[in-house]
Amino acid sequence: MSQEIAVVGSPEFTTGFRLAGVRKFADVPAEEKDEQLDDAVSEMLSDDDVGIVVMHDDDMDHLSRGVRKDAETSVEPVLVTLGGEGAGSGGLREQIKRAIGIDLMDEE
């Protein structure tokens, strides 16, 4: 069974993914993030058809402590954040390492 990519965030953030063919998304307007983002992320994390959840890195600050911990420790689906200050190769490297269990870039 193949799994889908889901994207959660502002309509401006999700639009590009939707145009690229992502069918699962949750639009959460900026002014409603504090009230709606937890529910949107929890819904995507609990969807058995979702293998990857994509969010903007800055939106992590709007999640409650519990949902943020669930998102950061989830292996299936794996959460991938884009943008923000921590979006360099070190951030993506850690996300990949967490998802597959090994560091592909380890030189030893």
Side-chain angles (χ1 to χ4, degrees):
M1 172 175 88
S2 65
Q3 293 183 308
E4 296 188 52
I5 295 173
V7 62
V8 178
S10 67
E12 297 81 13
F13 181 75
T14 64
T15 297
F17 291 94
R18 291 170 44 207
L19 291 172
V22 173
R23 296 178 294 181
K24 291 197 179 258
F25 63 93
D27 284 337
V28 182
E31 62 275 2
E32 298 175 12
K33 284 184 183 177
D34 290 332
E35 297 85 29
Q36 296 182 7
L37 197 59
D38 275 358
D39 290 339
V41 171
S42 294
E43 182 180 329
M44 293 300 178
L45 291 176
S46 64
D47 189 331
D48 291 336
D49 294 332
V50 174
I52 299 171
V53 177
V54 180
M55 286 180 59
H56 194 281
D57 189 61
D58 293 342
D59 288 345
M60 294 295 286
D61 295 335
H62 294 276
L63 295 176
S64 67
R65 181 177 290 163
V67 174
R68 183 177 178 135
K69 181 180 178 192
D70 291 344
E72 290 177 337
T73 60
S74 178
V75 174
E76 192 176 313
V78 65
L79 175 74
V80 176
T81 58
L82 303 174
E85 292 181 26
S89 63
L92 182 57
R93 179 179 180 177
E94 287 303 312
Q95 291 174 21
I96 293 170
K97 183 177 170 183
R98 178 172 39 93
I100 64 173
I102 59 170
D103 186 352
L104 294 175
M105 298 182 74
D106 189 12
E107 295 182 18
E108 291 184 15

